[in-house]
Amino acid sequence: MSKLQVLEIPHPILRETAAHVEVVTPEIQELLSDMLETMYATNGVGLAGNQVGKLLRVVVVDCGDEKPDPIKMVNPEIISHSENKILHSEGCLSVPREYADVERFETVTVRYLDENGKEQTRTTDGLLAIAFQHEIDHLDGHLFIDYLSQLKRHRLLKHLEKRRKKEAQEAEE
Ligand code: NI
């Protein structure tokens, strides 16, 4: 296993659509393991292919409370969802240390292939449902900041830019 580099905005790969995986090969299994390791090392709860520079529909998620509950998904898709939506604060490893409230479906049913290429269907709510929606968005080139008003998005990006400049200066000193 090896840790991968997580791409941050404005990297163009984050805005591209990831390709369907035809077969879950040993290479895909290794990629999923590496992504999980990378996610744990960076204290994330989810990571999508685009974020590690792989334009493939692969996602890892772990919203386990006390013990780890890793989920590896290939070609995940939301096949149904609740009418009801909830508002929750989201962050993203590709938009480092910025958070904002985003509206998501409260309950979703996701269909995907597991790491053995077996089809799985999972219905969930709460944080895991939010994570599924956030990660599947990545595969279509969407980021959580896309859901914000122009004003809020602008503010968040300015804040990120300011912090990056400050950190770069501090690194020079
Ligand atoms: Ni993200």
Side-chain angles (χ1 to χ4, degrees), residues 12-144:
I13 285 185
L14 295 170
R15 291 308 191 175
E16 286 188 40
T17 303
H20 187 86
V21 173
E22 296 301 329
V23 185
V24 184
T25 58
E27 287 75 24
I28 294 288
Q29 291 170 342
E30 196 185 332
L31 174 61
L32 288 163
S33 293
D34 288 347
M35 285 169 66
L36 209 53
E37 187 189 343
T38 305
M39 185 188 79
Y40 288 137
T42 44
N43 293 316
V45 295
L47 198 60
N50 303 43
Q51 292 181 280
V52 292
K54 304 278 185 203
L55 281 172
L56 294 167
R57 301 190 84 82
V58 288
V59 159
V60 294
V61 172
D62 190 338
C63 289
D65 237 354
E66 275 149 35
K67 6 176 229 216
D69 180 23
I71 304 169
K72 296 171 175 172
M73 300 194 286
V74 176
N75 301 331
E77 52 177 331
I78 293 167
I79 54 171
S80 66
H81 59 76
S82 58
E83 291 283 312
N84 202 28
K85 288 184 169 184
I86 47 166
L87 198 63
H88 195 273
S89 179
E90 288 184 31
C92 179
L93 294 173
S94 296
V95 189
R97 285 176 287 143
E98 298 292 336
Y99 303 88
D101 283 345
V102 176
E103 209 175 41
R104 300 281 187 183
F105 297 116
E106 187 172 23
T107 307
V108 293
T109 300
V110 179
R111 185 167 60 203
Y112 61 97
L113 299 179
D114 66 19
E115 61 181 320
N116 301 312
K118 193 166 172 255
E119 190 176 292
Q120 304 284 349
T121 305
R122 189 161 176 159
T123 300
T124 189
D125 60 7
L127 278 186
L128 194 54
I130 293 169
F132 284 166
Q133 293 170 83
H134 178 117
E135 298 312 326
I136 292 171
D137 263 2
H138 272 299
L139 303 178
D140 294 315
H142 301 143
L143 300 170
F144 79 95

